Amino acid sequence: MSEPDSRPGCAVSAALPLPACTAVVGCGRIGSALLRAALRQGLEVLAGVREHRRRRPGVPPEVVQLAPGKAAAAAELVVLAVPPGEPLRQLAEQLEPVLAGKVVLELSNPVMPRGDMPAPRGPWGPSEAELLARRLPRTRVAKALNTVSAKALGRLGSVPSAEWRRPSVPVAVDDPSAQRLVCAWVEALGFEAVPAGPLTHARWLEHLAQLLCHIDAQSGRTGLVGCRILRP
Ligand SMILES: NC(=O)c1ccc[n+]([C@@H]2O[C@H](COP(=O)([O-])OP(=O)(O)OC[C@H]3O[C@@H](n4cnc5c(N)ncnc54)[C@H](OP(=O)(O)O)[C@@H]3O)[C@@H](O)[C@H]2O)c1
C-alpha cells in the first residue's frame, strides 16, 4: 500500500473517483447544509436522521431520509455531522457494525472559542477524529470540513471574491484510498481539498477551526471566514 500524500499543499488530482453514494448522518445546521451543497453539485446523497419518519426541516425534499444505520449501510462515504463527545460516541457505537470497511468523515469541533478565550496550550490530546478511529477500528476515519461553516457551504460559488470562491479544506487521514475518496468529495462540493497528512493532524485542524472562529468573531461574525492555502 502506498503512503498517503501528506506533502503540505500538494495539489489533488482533478480526476479522483467520487464515492458512489454519501450518507450524511445528523442533519442539523452543518449536515443539512452539506446535503444542499451536494445536491447542487448533482452528488448522490442520503440523509441519516434519528426520527427518520418525520421529515427534518433543512433536509431537501429530493433527498431520501433514512434511519442512521440504513443510510450508513447504503453509502461508500459516511459523514458524521453530530456534536462531539457523547453524541458522537453513541452514534459510533450504534453504527459500528455497518461502518466496517467504509470511509467515515468526522467534522466536529469540540471547543469553539468565545471572543476572549485564551489560545490553547500544548501538549494537545487526541482529537475527536482520533478518538472516533479508536472506536471504529474496522473503519477508515478522516477529518475535514470542520474549518468551514454551514453558512459558507450555502454561499459556495456566490461570494463576489475570486479568492473566497474556492476555500481550502485540509483533509487529515491515514489511509491513501480514503484520502482520495474524501478529497474527491470535498472538491466536488466546490472546495479545494488539501491533503494535510495523517489523522493525528486532526488536532491541528480542530485548533485551526478555533482560530478561524476567533478571527470571524473579530470580523463581526460573518460566518464566512475560511482559509486559503497558497503554494508556489
Ligand atoms: N454549524 C456549523 O457551521 C459547523 C461547521 C463545522 C463543523 N461543525 C460541527 O458539526 C457538528 C454538528 O454541528 P451542527 O451545528 O450541525 O449542530 P446541530 O445543528 O445541533 O445538529 C446536530 C445534529 O446531530 C444530530 N444528532 C445528535 N446525536 C445524534 C445521534 N446519536 N444520532 C443521529 N443524529 C444525532 C441531531 O439530531 P436531532 O435533530 O435528532 O436531535 C442534530 O440534527 C458539531 O460537531 C460542530 O462542531 C458545525
Side-chain angles (χ1 to χ4, degrees), residues 25-31 48-51 56 68 80-84 87-88 90-91 94 106-110 112 145-151:
V25 178
C27 298
R29 280 163 294 182
I30 193 77
V49 177
R50 282 194 280 205
E51 293 183 35
R56 207 183 188 295
L80 300 185
V82 303
L88 187 59
Q90 277 179 6
L91 187 62
Q94 179 198 339
E106 196 281 314
L107 48 64
S108 73
N109 285 313
M112 293 315 283
L145 288 170
N146 66 310
T147 54
V148 299
S149 68
K151 186 170 175 185

